């Protein structure tokens, strides 16, 4: 009986700890300047107003692709997804907080070219249903062969409107601290 109780407690602890761990997009940022052949990279931030827990949604996804005129890339592969912690209430688990904003870092490594963030989708998980809301975006960015460039910030307000802003004064020193061997151009 005692072994069974210990086993159940162990499984419960593993389950709960797996739910609590945030999957940060910044975990994919390399710690060295190693790029795939003919690729470049942008590194940027996504920030959310850290509002009340009931205003936080279950997931936020930014879709990007080559600019129009080219074949659209696979949206299942070309997206950045933020999933707040959902174990005991909804909470952002960002890389850091900047005053009232939860800030997450991300990277996109692709072949040289012009790209665009074309959609932003949110998902709310209800008791018996899911609600998706998708907004069109038109936020361009350029990836240069062999370079790692700072993109800026995708700033999401409490109405889930998105705008691109530069936060290089904040981000470049913080990124240098987090990734000291990575050379990021402004």
């Amino acid at each position: 009986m005692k072994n069974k109780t210990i086993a159940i407690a162990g499984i419960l602890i593993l389950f709960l700890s797996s739910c609590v761990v945030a999957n940060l997009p910044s975990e994919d940022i390399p710690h060295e300047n190693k790029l795939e052949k003919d690729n470049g990279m942008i590194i940027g931030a996504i920030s959310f107003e850290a509002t009340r827990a009931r205003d936080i949604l279950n997931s936020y996804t930014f879709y990007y692709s080559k600019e129009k005129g080219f074949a659209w890339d696979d949206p299942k592969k070309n997206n950045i997804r933020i999933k707040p912690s959902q174990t005991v209430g909804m909470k952002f688990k960002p890389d850091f907080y900047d005053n009232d904003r939860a800030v997450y870092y991300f990277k996109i490594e692709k072949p040289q070219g012009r790209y665009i963030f074309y959609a932003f989708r949110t998902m709310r998980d209800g008791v018996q249903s899911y609600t998706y809301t998708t907004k069109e975006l038109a936020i361009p960015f350029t990836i240069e062969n062999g370079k790692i460039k700072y993109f800026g910030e995708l700033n999401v307000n409490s109405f889930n409107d998105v705008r691109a802003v530069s936060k290089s004064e904040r981000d470049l020193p913080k990124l240098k601290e987090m990734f000291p061997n990575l050379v990021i151009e402004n």
Side-chain angles (χ1 to χ4, degrees), residues 29 40-47 96 98 103-108 117 140-144 147-155 164-176 182-186:
I29 297 174
M41 183 186 300
I42 63 164
I43 294 180
I46 298 171
S47 74
F96 67 97
D98 183 12
V103 181
Y104 297 81
Y105 285 127
F106 70 90
K107 68 107 174 163
I108 296 174
F117 285 102
F141 60 94
T142 301
I143 293 181
E144 296 180 37
K147 294 185 179 181
I148 300 173
K149 307 240 356 181
Y150 174 69
F151 164 77
E153 178 181 281
L154 294 171
N155 184 292
V165 297
S166 178
K167 294 285 188 172
S168 60
E169 302 84 29
R170 176 199 70 197
D171 289 332
L172 290 174
K174 192 159 245 344
L175 286 164
K176 184 67 175 169
L182 201 60
V183 178
I184 304 168
E185 299 177 25
N186 193 2

Side-chain angles (χ1 to χ4, degrees), residues 156-171:
V156 183
N157 69 17
S158 60
F159 300 105
N160 292 323
D161 294 324
V162 179
R163 65 186 177 110
V165 297
S166 178
K167 294 285 188 172
S168 60
E169 302 84 29
R170 176 199 70 197
D171 289 332

Side-chain angles (χ1 to χ4, degrees), residues 12-24 27 83-94 104:
L12 183 61
I13 289 170
L14 283 173
F15 173 76
L16 290 175
S17 66
S18 70
C19 293
V20 173
V21 175
N23 185 14
L24 295 173
E27 292 172 358
K83 292 183 78 169
S85 174
Q86 301 171 35
T87 51
V88 182
M90 300 292 286
K91 296 177 187 170
F92 284 116
K93 296 281 186 177
Y104 297 81

Side-chain angles (χ1 to χ4, degrees), residues 53-59 122-126 129-132:
R54 69 181 177 87
D55 296 332
I56 298 174
L57 302 175
N58 297 89
S59 77
T122 59
M123 191 267 289
R124 181 179 297 277
D125 183 1
S129 66
Y130 294 96
T131 304
Y132 291 96

Side-chain angles (χ1 to χ4, degrees), residues 1-16:
M1 181 70 173
K2 184 177 180 182
N3 287 341
K4 191 182 241 183
T5 304
I6 291 172
I8 291 171
I11 291 170
L12 183 61
I13 289 170
L14 283 173
F15 173 76
L16 290 175

